[in-house]
């Protein structure tokens, strides 16, 4: 096995992509949160593996941040929010599950077709990793677009973020400052989202974002 | 210190002056000091530019400043063409500043004018020495914005607001077109310095597209029909010395942009059809511009429409130069280019002079409507005299400068049978006929403008009590008037002066001027074919004029004549019974107005016995608005109404739209790689 390190990183990135697909069709709230936690844990493993093969110590910090924040703190907090708000019923999908999955497959193919020709000169990990990361980003966007529930939109955003981190660590030379600031901005975004969830539920008795639309002032 | 360094120093000084004017008090003395300094700096810039034109000998000076875009820098270049336009800009700047010493103190809110005046001068200078696309467009926008601020100086007037909006839209449109033109010129790898652009290879369709974009972009700034609509709105709205700058100078900077792109950057990569649109649009602009002008009774608006006409004449010259140049007929190209450049210079002189004169009239009477003026030659004799000189010059009558450049244009037109293409052979004489017609109409128009404003009796009390303007303003007008005369009687000096710029553009020049008979003859092709000697014409005119005067006074005046009494011996009391601008131009309106402007006259005559007053009204519609801009506006309004629902989508819908756009772009990347 000449290139076992690259294979392992591909394997981990592939698992993250699979979890993204799982997020895409998972209709239950708690299930969604659990899958997201799994994705974050696998992400931290992938980042740690990158740190090992690139011999870059600061990536371990990124891995720890990903594990603690996205793998434990955020899912737990969302878990509590969902339980407190009493919204553990099923999620309504806008498009049917089959169509969504097909779109997800299409996006993955698109990501590969975009990334591969651009990185023809590159060798080793970067090429496939970037394609995987890009697919994860697109799937995160797809989740945000297809779901109407605010919690699942947050999950979509966070999973998009995971894709970004995967892409960033795959490329060599990403400074630590950038990653830490990104991690913190995600955390702050999470606080804002959480706060808004409470306020929305409190005021409108629903967190279906489409229902909020009728309260907009500038409607004709 | 090289000439370019002198120029750049002067520009920095102008910017300092603009900053300085923000902090000074707005007392009369300060305003005078400001305009004085501005005049001095402009003089310095002018002196710096003259040797660069006369002794350039094909070696441009260049300079690269390490500011601006990091991979482009800021390139400056001073070649013969830039130097020529620097002279045009700074001569105008000098004269308007000098005029401003006297006129500028009347401004109600000087702080709305002072900072932008110097910045505007600086911007126009920057445009003509810029040597990369980024610097050029930045300076161009700087010029547009500062002039827009000057137009908006009287911003509470609803007319001004409309003018400002129109100008702003057209300026943005023009810059956008130039942006595309430079984008194509620079090519995919983006060499934005002009040096790199000259070396680029263009795609086959590139020449045509760039010519169209340059016509739209530079043409909208210069005032080509039908993009001229902002000119007659914006130029009169500004204070008069600024109107003079905008009309006399800024339109020339726009033409500089056109020349630089079409003759220098694109070079020989335009097909033989290239001159056709330039000639047609130029001729249409000249004719329609002067017809518009004839319909006006607002003095400054009339002058603005005349700018449109003269821009048309200049573009005819440029089109001819391109036609000859492409076909390798360098002698004809040299004559046409000389005519165009000389007309650019001449027009900057007499249009500045006329606008300054109109500013004096406006200040003295508070009126721009010439139907409320009249008899001013008694109250303001010097202004009237200078305005008359400007009128004669713009009407292309000898011995003034306007005649020389239009005569040269006609010489180039007469050489058109040498052109090999049949289309051009037929087109150019037709353009010549249009040019002749518009020259005659221009003379008509200025007979009207001068006659109604300065002759006859005063129509209003303000016109009757007007006072002559101050000495500074008169000095500025006098210098411009003298220059108009000098170029008219010594055209060879001017033609030799702009020789290097012509040589740079069409790599040929006029034959050596002056022949064995008279040293000061202007000879476009050869002395056997045609020549013009301003001094002889001047001498003849003086001689003939004074002899006629003497003859009449000696033989006619003393003899008592008897004839039928005029108006039954009691001329009407009211000054309103004199010819007005509308009645003077009625014949022209009846001939052309019906077709071009849809002019409809309506006479409401009371029946015999009725005591009410009769009414006469004329309704006209502007073809540029009626056929192009109003439909365009309506289309825009309908489209925005259709798209209005996009304001009220849900967040998820917006996300979906963005997502869809991203996916489509990615697919395009995949497909078209």
């Amino acid at each position: 096995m000449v290139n076992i390190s690259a294979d392992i990183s591909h394997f981990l990135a592939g698992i993250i992509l699979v979890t993204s697909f799982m997020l895409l069709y998972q209709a239950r709230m708690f299930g969604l949160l659990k899958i997201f936690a799994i994705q974050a844990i696998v992400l931290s493993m992938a980042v740690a593996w990158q740190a090992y093969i690139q011999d870059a110590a600061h990536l371990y910090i990124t891995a720890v941040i990903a594990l603690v924040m996205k793998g434990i703190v955020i899912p737990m907090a969302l878990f509590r929010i969902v339980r407190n708000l009493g919204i553990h019923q099923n999620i309504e999908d806008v498009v049917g599950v089959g169509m969504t999955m097909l779109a997800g497959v299409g996006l993955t193919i698109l990501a590969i077709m975009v990334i591969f020709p651009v990185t023809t000169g590159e060798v080793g990990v970067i090429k496939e990793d970037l394609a995987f990361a890009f697919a994860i980003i697109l799937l995160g966007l797809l989740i945000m677009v297809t779901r109407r529930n605010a919690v699942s939109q947050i999950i979509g955003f966070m999973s998009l973020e995971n894709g970004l981190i995967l892409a960033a660590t795959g490329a060599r030379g990403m400074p630590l400052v950038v990653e830490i600031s990104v991690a913190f901005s995600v955390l702050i975004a999470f606080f804002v989202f959480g706060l808004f969830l409470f306020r929305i539920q409190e005021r409108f008795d629903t967190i279906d974002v489409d229902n909020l639309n009728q309260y907009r002032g500038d409607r004709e | 210190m090289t000439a370019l360094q002198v120029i750049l120093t002067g520009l920095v000084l102008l910017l300092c002056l603009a900053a300085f004017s923000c902090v000074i008090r707005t007392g009369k003395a300060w305003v005078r000091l400001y305009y004085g300094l501005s005049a001095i700096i402009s003089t310095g810039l002018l002196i710096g530019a003259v040797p660069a034109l006369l002794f350039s000998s094909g070696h441009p000076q260049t300079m690269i400043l390490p500011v601006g875009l990091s991979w482009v820098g800021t390139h400056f270049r001073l070649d013969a063409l830039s130097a020529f336009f620097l002279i045009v800009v700074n001569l105008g700047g000098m004269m308007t500043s000098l005029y401003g010493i006297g006129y500028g103190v009347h401004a109600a809110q000087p702080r709305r004018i002072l900072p932008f005046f110097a910045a505007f001068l600086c911007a126009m200078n920057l445009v003509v020495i810029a040597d990369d696309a980024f610097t050029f467009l930045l300076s161009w926008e700087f010029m547009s914005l500062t002039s827009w601020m000057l137009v908006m100086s009287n911003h509470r007037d609803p007319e001004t607001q409309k003018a400002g909006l129109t100008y702003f839209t057209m300026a943005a449109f023009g810059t956008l077109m130039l942006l595309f033109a430079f984008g194509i010129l620079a090519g995919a790898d983006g060499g934005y310095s002009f040096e790199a652009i000259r070396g680029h290879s263009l795609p086959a369709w590139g020449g045509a597209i760039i010519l169209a974009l340059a016509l739209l972009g530079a043409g909208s700034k210069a005032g080509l029909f039908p993009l001229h609509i902002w000119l007659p709105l914006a130029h009169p709205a500004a204070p008069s010395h600024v109107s003079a700058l905008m009309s006399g100078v800024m339109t020339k900077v726009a033409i500089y942009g056109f020349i630089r792109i079409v003759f220098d950057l694109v070079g020989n990569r335009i097909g033989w059809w290239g001159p056709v649109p330039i000639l047609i649009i130029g001729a249409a602009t000249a004719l329609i511009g002067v017809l518009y002008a004839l319909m006006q009774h607002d003095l400054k608006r009339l002058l603005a429409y005349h700018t449109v006409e003269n821009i048309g004449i200049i573009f005819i010259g440029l089109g001819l130069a391109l036609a000859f140049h492409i076909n390798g007929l360098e002698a004809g190209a040299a004559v046409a280019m000389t005519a165009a450049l000389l007309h650019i210079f001449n027009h900057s002189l007499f249009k500045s002079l006329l606008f300054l004169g109109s500013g004096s009239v406006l200040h003295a009477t508070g009126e721009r409507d010439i139907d409320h003026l009249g008899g001013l030659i008694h109250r303001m004799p010097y202004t009237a005299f200078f305005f008359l000189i400007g009128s004669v010059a713009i009407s292309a009558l000898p011995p003034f400068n306007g005649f020389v450049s239009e005569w040269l244009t006609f010489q180039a037109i007469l050489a058109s049978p040498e052109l090999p293409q049949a289309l051009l052979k037929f087109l150019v004489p037709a353009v010549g006929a249009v040019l002749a017609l518009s020259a005659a109409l221009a003379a008509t128009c200025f007979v009207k403008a001068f006659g109604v404003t300065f002759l006859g009796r005063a129509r209003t009390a303000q016109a009757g009590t007007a006072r002559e303007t101050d000495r500074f303003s008169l000095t500025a007008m006098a210098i411009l008037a003298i220059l108009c005369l000098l170029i008219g009687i010594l055209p060879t000096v001017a033609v030799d002066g702009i020789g290097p710029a012509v040589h740079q553009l069409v790599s040929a020049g006029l034959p050596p001027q002056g022949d064995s008979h008279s040293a000061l003859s202007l000879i476009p092709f050869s002395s056997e074919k045609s020549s013009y000697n301003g001094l002889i014409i001047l001498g003849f005119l003086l001689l003939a004029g004074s002899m006629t005067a003497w003859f009449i006074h000696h033989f006619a005046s003393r003899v008592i004549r008897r004839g039928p009494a005029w108006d039954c011996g009691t001329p009407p009391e009211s000054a309103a019974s004199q010819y007005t601008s509308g009645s003077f131009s009625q014949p022209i309106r009846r001939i052309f107005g019906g077709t071009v402007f849809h002019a409809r006259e309506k006479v409401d005559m009371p029946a015999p016995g009725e005591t009410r007053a009769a009414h006469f009204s004329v309704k006209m519609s502007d073809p540029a608005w009626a056929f192009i801009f109003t439909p365009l506006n309506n289309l825009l309004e309908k489209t925005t109404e259709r798209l209005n629902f996009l304001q009220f989508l849900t967040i998820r819908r917006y996300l979906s739209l963005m997502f869809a756009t991203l996916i489509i772009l990615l697919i395009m990347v995949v497909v078209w790689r």
Side-chain angles (χ1 to χ4, degrees):
Chain A
M1 297 299 274
V2 195
N3 213 353
I4 184 86
S5 61
D7 282 345
I8 289 178
S9 71
H10 290 163
F11 174 66
L12 291 171
I15 292 179
I16 301 177
L17 185 60
V18 170
T19 52
S20 270
F21 273 101
M22 288 163 75
L23 285 176
L24 202 55
Y25 79 79
Q26 179 55 260
R28 288 172 208 287
M29 201 59 92
F30 286 144
L32 202 64
L33 292 179
K34 281 174 197 158
I35 296 168
F36 175 68
I38 293 171
Q39 188 182 46
I41 292 166
V42 180
L43 172 74
S44 70
M45 285 161 66
V47 174
W49 182 250
Q50 287 293 335
Y52 173 67
I53 59 174
Q54 288 182 20
D55 209 8
H58 68 270
L59 283 183
Y60 286 116
I61 302 176
T62 312
V64 172
I65 291 176
L67 182 67
V68 175
M69 286 295 167
K70 296 192 153 174
I72 300 168
V73 177
I74 292 178
M76 293 264 286
L78 277 175
F79 213 84
R80 281 186 54 194
I81 290 174
V82 169
R83 207 177 49 209
N84 290 350
L85 293 178
I87 47 167
H88 31 74
Q89 75 272 41
N90 277 12
I91 304 159
E92 317 152 62
D93 281 352
V94 174
V95 194
V97 175
M99 284 305 293
T100 318
M101 293 302 285
L102 270 182
V105 173
L107 288 180
T108 313
I109 294 170
L110 180 65
I112 291 171
M113 287 176 74
V114 169
I115 296 292
F116 270 28
V118 179
T119 52
T120 38
E122 301 288 338
V123 281
V125 192
I126 294 174
K127 198 170 170 181
E128 288 83 3
D129 256 11
L130 267 182
F132 279 131
F134 196 46
I136 293 162
I137 292 171
L138 289 180
L139 286 180
L141 267 170
L142 187 63
I143 295 170
M144 288 183 78
V145 168
T146 52
R147 300 297 176 96
R148 300 170 65 171
N149 186 302
V151 173
S152 30
Q153 287 193 348
I154 295 174
I155 295 289
F157 177 73
M158 297 281 169
S159 116
L160 184 158
E161 178 63 37
N162 287 345
L164 281 182
I165 292 180
L166 186 65
T169 52
R172 281 162 200 275
M174 178 74 120
L176 182 63
V177 182
V178 177
E179 284 165 34
I180 288 182
S181 60
V182 167
F184 272 102
S185 65
V186 169
L187 196 65
I188 290 166
F190 168 72
F191 279 130
V192 174
F193 280 140
L195 203 68
F196 265 101
L197 274 184
F198 273 112
R199 304 283 303 177
I200 293 167
Q201 171 74 12
E202 195 181 356
R203 186 158 289 192
F204 303 115
D205 289 330
T206 176
I207 52 167
D208 184 332
V209 288
D210 280 7
N211 286 346
L212 302 183
N213 202 42
Q214 54 186 303
Y215 298 102
R216 280 175 55 172
D218 51 352
R219 241 179 124 72
E220 273 187 340
Chain B
M1 220 159 138
T2 64
L4 188 54
Q5 282 165 332
V6 174
I7 303 285
L8 285 174
T9 317
L11 297 188
V12 172
L13 285 177
L14 274 179
L15 282 182
C16 293
L17 184 64
F20 164 72
S21 68
C22 298
V23 295
I24 60 168
R25 278 174 295 156
T26 52
K28 275 192 178 184
W30 287 101
V31 175
R32 282 184 202 276
L33 174 69
Y34 170 89
Y35 281 114
L37 287 175
S38 147
I40 291 169
I41 299 172
S42 297
T43 316
L45 287 167
L46 182 65
I47 293 171
V50 169
L53 174 63
L54 297 184
F55 310 115
S56 65
S57 65
H59 293 292
Q61 304 170 16
T62 55
M63 189 186 271
I64 302 173
L65 297 184
V67 291
L69 288 185
S70 54
W71 67 95
V72 179
T74 303
H75 299 243
F76 293 116
R77 183 162 180 264
L78 183 61
D79 52 18
L81 182 66
S82 303
F84 170 70
F85 277 92
L86 278 178
I87 292 174
V88 172
V89 169
N90 290 309
L91 188 63
M94 192 173 123
M95 289 305 144
T96 48
S97 302
L98 182 59
Y99 183 82
I101 298 177
Y103 181 81
V105 296
H106 307 311
Q109 292 166 302
R111 285 215 178 128
R112 290 198 180 279
I113 299 170
L114 298 188
F116 306 112
F117 185 79
F120 182 39
L121 285 179
C122 175
M124 290 193 291
N125 277 300
L126 276 176
V127 172
V128 298
I129 57 171
D131 194 35
D132 65 81
F134 182 72
T135 314
F136 182 89
L137 286 173
L138 200 69
S139 318
W140 186 276
E141 268 305 271
F142 187 35
M143 175 176 86
S144 297
L145 285 178
T146 45
S147 57
W148 182 76
M149 293 303 288
L150 288 166
V151 167
M152 291 301 281
S153 63
N154 181 21
H155 67 290
R156 298 205 192 282
D157 185 359
E159 286 276 312
T160 306
Q161 289 167 8
K162 189 187 169 210
L165 182 63
T166 315
Y167 178 28
F168 200 83
T169 316
M170 294 307 288
F173 168 78
T175 312
L176 187 68
M177 293 297 120
L178 288 183
L179 189 69
F180 285 136
F182 281 119
I184 296 172
L185 278 170
D189 44 343
Y192 285 108
S193 79
F194 286 173
E195 201 58 57
I197 287 176
R198 283 185 200 102
H200 270 294
S201 61
L202 278 178
W205 43 269
I209 302 275
I210 289 168
L211 181 64
L213 289 172
L215 271 175
L216 287 173
S220 72
K221 192 108 211 141
L224 282 182
F225 180 81
L227 303 168
H228 67 276
I229 48 160
W230 64 273
L231 241 108
L233 297 173
H235 289 185
S240 292
H241 56 309
V242 178
S243 310
L245 266 188
M246 287 179 74
S247 224
V249 178
M250 188 177 71
T251 52
K252 308 304 175 304
V253 177
I255 294 176
Y256 163 81
F258 182 80
I259 296 178
R260 178 64 81 188
I261 291 175
V262 170
F263 282 88
D264 185 10
L265 298 184
V266 180
N268 286 327
R269 292 174 283 189
I270 292 181
W272 68 266
W273 41 263
V276 175
I278 305 179
L279 285 170
I280 292 176
I281 294 177
T285 306
L287 184 58
I288 294 181
V290 71
L291 283 177
Y292 270 116
L294 268 164
M295 303 299 133
Q296 306 304 318
H297 47 90
D298 175 328
L299 188 53
K300 285 177 81 173
R301 182 166 294 185
L302 181 148
L303 292 177
Y305 273 122
H306 266 286
T307 301
V308 175
E309 182 226 344
N310 280 283
I311 295 298
I313 296 174
I314 293 166
F315 268 87
I316 290 175
L318 291 176
L320 286 170
L322 192 61
F324 286 118
H325 185 50
I326 287 171
N327 288 306
L329 301 166
E330 299 303 355
V335 173
M337 187 49 92
T338 309
L341 291 184
L342 190 60
H343 201 68
I344 286 171
F345 186 62
N346 290 342
H347 183 251
S348 81
L349 291 179
F350 49 65
K351 188 46 63 73
S352 302
L353 170 59
L354 289 167
F355 260 113
L356 298 184
S358 77
S360 296
V361 169
L362 175 60
H363 174 64
T365 62
E367 276 294 344
R368 273 172 24 191
D369 190 339
I370 58 175
D371 285 343
H372 295 165
L373 298 171
L376 286 178
I377 196 166
H378 305 296
R379 311 289 312 177
M380 313 172 70
Y382 295 107
T383 306
F385 179 64
F386 297 137
F387 197 91
L388 179 63
I389 290 183
S391 304
V392 175
I394 200 173
S395 308
L397 293 177
F400 290 97
N401 56 354
F403 177 77
V404 179
S405 41
E406 289 201 27
W407 183 78
L408 275 177
T409 313
F410 277 114
Q411 292 301 318
I413 287 172
L414 291 178
S416 66
E418 292 172 27
L419 290 168
Q421 290 88 8
L423 177 60
L424 286 174
K425 262 185 203 173
F426 284 104
L427 180 65
V428 174
V431 167
V434 173
L435 183 61
L437 176 61
S438 44
L441 290 175
T444 320
C445 189
F446 274 94
V447 169
K448 169 184 115 173
F450 183 79
V452 177
T453 311
F454 292 99
L455 304 183
R457 286 185 288 152
R459 293 182 177 79
T460 54
Q462 295 98 305
T465 55
R467 289 182 55 195
E468 183 59 276
T469 187
D470 56 277
R471 275 169 298 146
F472 292 107
S473 307
L474 285 178
T475 314
M477 287 191 272
I479 295 175
L480 286 169
I482 291 169
L483 282 174
C484 282
L485 181 64
L486 278 182
I487 293 178
I489 58 176
L490 302 171
T492 50
V493 179
V495 165
D496 284 338
I498 60 178
V502 174
H503 209 274
Q504 182 196 342
L505 291 170
V506 296
S507 49
L510 262 52
Q513 298 299 310
D515 59 4
S516 49
H517 304 298
S518 57
L520 291 168
S521 285
L522 177 62
I523 302 161
F525 291 100
S526 66
S527 56
E528 290 85 44
K529 224 170 164 183
S530 56
S531 67
Y532 168 73
N533 190 322
L535 267 181
I536 293 177
I537 299 274
L538 178 68
F540 172 77
L541 283 174
L542 284 179
L543 194 68
S546 45
M547 273 181 68
T548 314
W550 177 81
F551 216 72
I552 290 172
H553 279 276
H554 197 257
F555 291 105
S557 301
R558 308 211 173 156
V559 184
I560 298 166
R561 285 169 293 166
R562 285 183 186 277
W566 186 260
D567 277 346
C568 306
T570 50
E573 285 290 310
S574 167
S577 63
Q578 301 173 93
Y579 257 86
T580 62
S581 97
S583 50
F584 187 88
S585 55
Q586 191 185 36
I588 308 280
R589 193 172 62 229
R590 288 211 173 143
I591 299 168
F592 297 102
T595 37
V596 181
F597 302 109
H598 280 277
R600 294 283 173 272
E601 294 177 1
K602 203 178 143 207
V603 184
D604 177 22
M605 190 64 81
E610 265 187 90
T611 49
R612 67 191 175 88
H615 277 282
F616 173 78
S617 61
V618 182
K619 262 178 96 173
M620 282 193 275
S621 80
D622 186 332
W625 282 100
F627 293 114
I628 298 172
F629 292 100
T630 312
L632 208 63
N633 262 345
N634 292 344
L635 183 71
L636 195 68
E637 209 147 279
K638 266 185 200 157
T639 319
T640 46
E641 221 145 81
R642 287 273 171 80
L643 293 178
N644 202 21
F645 75 94
L646 284 178
Q647 292 273 347
F648 307 105
L649 294 182
T650 62
I651 299 174
R652 209 164 48 79
R653 287 260 166 76
Y654 285 128
L655 267 180
S656 316
L657 281 179
M658 278 152 61
F659 189 56
T661 316
L662 175 69
I663 298 300
I664 290 170
L665 288 178
L666 285 176
I667 290 173
M668 275 165 65
V669 168
V670 170
V671 173
W672 274 316
R673 182 150 34 208

